[in-house]
Amino acid sequence: MLFNATHSEELRVATVDGQKLLDFDIEVAGKQQRKGNIYKGIITRIEPSLEACFVNYGEDRHGFLPFKEIPRVRSDQGDSVTDPKIRQLPKEGTEILVQVDKEERGKKGAALTTYISLAGKYIVLMPNTAKGGGISRKIFNSQDRRHIREIINTLSIPNTMGLIVRTAGAKKTQNDIKNDLDVLIGMWEKIKYKTLNSNAPNLIHEEGDLIYRAIRDFLTND
């Protein structure tokens, strides 16, 4: 793992295996990274022509939330909207939990989603995506994939949640994966509690900085 911090305005981290580059990331000083952050926001404007709405999540420029990034909701009569051509539009003033999917680009606000994902060392938990997830495409070995499926089948995953096993989890034990799952479920419980007990707009959960993410993703416990 190589850290280049010779320039105060920019930090670069590269992870390599011999001459092969595995991962590369840059963090610019003075530019707050928001990707992965979770906010309690307020829908301020509906734009049916764009099939999206705008959300005040606490920054100067409101975020852009496509309708496809909002789970289908029940109608006022309590029945589910199942026709894919029919979508009940969200209402202005509605408070909503969102995660930054893409940073602001030029004059475009950040791209938001309501499908939350929480990254651990070995798995990514999707706490409000039932039956979602699977195994990282970077895990090619069929024996590793079979081993992971067997572990997933032993886990007590709430039926409202899904998970993806990351590349680092390919050869890990059932106990390693379970411990990661327990940590992320505990994190989600804290997020839910803070969401219920805070006013919008508000930062609910902040993704770690570049150094933290590099250590989490690539260094082992020992």
Side-chain angles (χ1 to χ4, degrees), residues 173-191:
T173 66
Q174 190 262 0
N175 195 51
D176 290 329
I177 303 296
K178 181 182 181 302
N179 287 342
D180 215 22
L181 175 63
D182 291 342
V183 168
L184 294 176
I185 289 176
M187 184 185 297
W188 176 241
E189 291 300 321
K190 292 177 181 178
I191 288 170

Side-chain angles (χ1 to χ4, degrees), residues 154-170:
T154 67
L155 299 175
S156 297
I157 306 171
N159 56 16
T160 57
M161 300 185 180
L163 63 81
I164 298 173
V165 177
R166 306 181 69 184
T167 310

Side-chain angles (χ1 to χ4, degrees), residues 7-222:
H7 303 286
S8 59
E9 69 277 7
E10 185 176 274
L11 169 67
R12 287 176 279 180
V13 177
T15 306
V16 299
D17 181 6
Q19 296 299 307
K20 182 179 180 181
L21 180 66
L22 301 178
D23 193 67
F24 180 69
D25 210 346
I26 297 174
E27 193 164 88
V28 179
K31 181 182 178 183
Q32 184 181 0
Q33 300 293 314
R34 298 188 181 91
K35 185 175 181 179
N37 287 359
I38 299 172
Y39 298 84
K40 185 177 183 179
I42 305 172
I43 295 175
T44 56
R45 194 166 87 248
I46 308 295
E47 291 291 347
S49 62
L50 298 176
E51 294 192 350
C53 57
F54 290 89
V55 178
N56 177 7
Y57 65 106
E59 300 300 329
D60 294 336
R61 185 176 289 135
H62 291 185
F64 182 80
L65 178 63
F67 291 159
K68 67 179 182 179
E69 295 296 331
I70 306 174
R72 295 191 181 278
V73 296
R74 293 181 179 275
S75 70
D76 294 337
Q77 288 73 37
D79 55 320
S80 291
V81 179
T82 56
D83 187 337
K85 296 179 181 178
I86 299 174
R87 180 182 292 278
Q88 184 184 1
L89 297 183
K91 294 180 173 63
E92 292 182 4
T94 301
E95 294 186 346
I96 189 168
L97 190 68
V98 294
Q99 186 171 37
V100 175
D101 188 39
K102 294 180 181 178
E103 297 275 1
E104 293 184 3
R105 294 147 293 161
K107 295 182 179 180
K108 293 183 178 180
L112 307 176
T113 181
T114 65
Y115 293 105
I116 307 298
S117 61
L118 301 173
K121 185 172 180 63
Y122 305 127
I123 67 172
V124 175
L125 180 67
M126 297 173 291
N128 59 352
T129 306
K131 299 180 180 179
I135 302 172
S136 169
R137 295 178 182 176
K138 294 181 181 179
I139 300 175
F140 302 110
N141 187 288
S142 58
Q143 187 174 349
D144 287 342
R145 295 183 72 86
R146 186 165 56 251
H147 167 70
I148 292 169
R149 288 193 194 96
E150 290 172 355
I151 289 177
I152 292 175
N153 290 334
T154 67
L155 299 175
S156 297
I157 306 171
N159 56 16
T160 57
M161 300 185 180
L163 63 81
I164 298 173
V165 177
R166 306 181 69 184
T167 310
K171 298 183 183 298
K172 295 303 173 182
T173 66
Q174 190 262 0
N175 195 51
D176 290 329
I177 303 296
K178 181 182 181 302
N179 287 342
D180 215 22
L181 175 63
D182 291 342
V183 168
L184 294 176
I185 289 176
M187 184 185 297
W188 176 241
E189 291 300 321
K190 292 177 181 178
I191 288 170
K192 289 197 299 183
Y193 178 82
K194 187 173 180 180
T195 301
L196 292 172
N197 292 277
S198 62
N199 297 319
N202 192 31
L203 173 63
I204 299 296
H205 173 78
E206 189 169 14
E207 177 74 345
D209 62 18
L210 178 55
I211 298 295
Y212 169 83
R213 296 196 305 271
I215 290 173
R216 176 196 67 193
D217 292 348
F218 292 104
L219 295 189
T220 60
N221 292 335
D222 56 354

